[in-house]
Amino acid sequence: MKCSQTRAIQTHIITYPYLNFHKTLFGGQLMAWLDETAGISAVRVSRAAIVTASVDHLDFLAPLKASHSACIEAYVSGVGTRSIEIFAKIIGEDLLTGDRYLAGTCFMTFVVPKGASLPEKIEPETKEEHFICQGYEARKQVRQAKRQESLALASNVDLDIPWN
């Protein structure tokens, strides 16, 4: 399957109620839009109900200002036996001048249910897709190590709430 077959694109205008104190897009809102757009890409490759497993890496590179737009473009950058890695980029645009800028990048991982089938590989076509997809195996190894760290952390987290 080609990256382009999994591509999902959403564009939003930055207005109230999505603004923070700085009159820029609230980061949590961007994360919700990323999860939605990336989820569409994951379903396009799996044709199954998916679950967000992790936001592996999210870089906020430039603020998305009031009255600008945020265009989120996501596509599958790698597949495992039950996991799907999605790359997303956030392109901001000053709608009055037409100036565009890279506002952020993100890698997310989704998991499919047991029995769902995924393609053996994803085929990049563009220069960007080749660059992103070639790093999949290294990112997967880092993600698996981080998962083990998270499990170790979770086994040592106290669930008692002191004010009860």
Side-chain angles (χ1 to χ4, degrees):
M1 177 174 268
K2 296 178 180 174
C3 290
S4 61
Q5 293 174 282
T6 69
R7 192 172 318 282
I9 300 171
Q10 290 188 11
T11 304
H12 304 271
I13 189 165
I14 312 303
T15 61
Y16 291 103
Y18 305 126
L19 299 177
N20 61 25
F21 290 117
H22 305 286
K23 294 191 171 58
T24 60
L25 180 64
F26 174 59
Q29 182 61 56
L30 179 59
M31 291 177 76
W33 290 341
L34 281 164
D35 193 36
E36 183 176 67
T37 310
I40 291 168
S41 289
V43 171
R44 285 188 172 151
V45 75
S46 66
R47 297 298 177 196
I50 48 92
V51 176
T52 306
S54 62
V55 177
D56 305 319
H57 200 93
L58 172 57
D59 285 316
F60 297 99
L61 302 174
L64 291 154
K65 298 176 183 176
S67 300
H68 288 202
S69 69
C71 179
I72 300 168
E73 180 182 340
Y75 55 86
V76 174
S77 52
V79 291
T81 53
R82 290 194 50 217
S83 65
I84 305 165
E85 181 191 76
I86 307 291
F87 170 73
K89 60 184 174 184
I90 305 99
I91 300 168
E93 181 180 354
D94 181 329
L95 294 172
L96 299 179
T97 67
D99 291 336
R100 297 174 61 130
Y101 52 95
L102 185 62
T105 59
C106 182
F107 285 96
M108 299 178 75
T109 300
F110 293 83
V111 176
V112 297
K114 289 181 182 171
S117 63
L118 293 173
E120 286 186 26
K121 67 177 189 160
I122 294 296
E123 297 175 38
E125 298 171 282
T126 69
K127 182 179 175 182
E128 174 188 297
E129 291 168 354
H130 279 280
F131 181 80
I132 298 297
C133 291
Q134 75 183 1
Y136 169 68
E137 289 299 328
R139 288 188 300 272
K140 183 177 179 182
Q141 289 178 356
V142 169
R143 193 166 38 249
Q144 289 171 339
K146 287 280 189 191
R147 172 104 172 112
Q148 292 307 311
E149 288 177 22
S150 293
L151 291 172
L153 174 71
S155 69
N156 289 287
V157 170
D158 187 356
L159 300 179
D160 292 331
I161 300 173
W163 58 83
N164 281 343

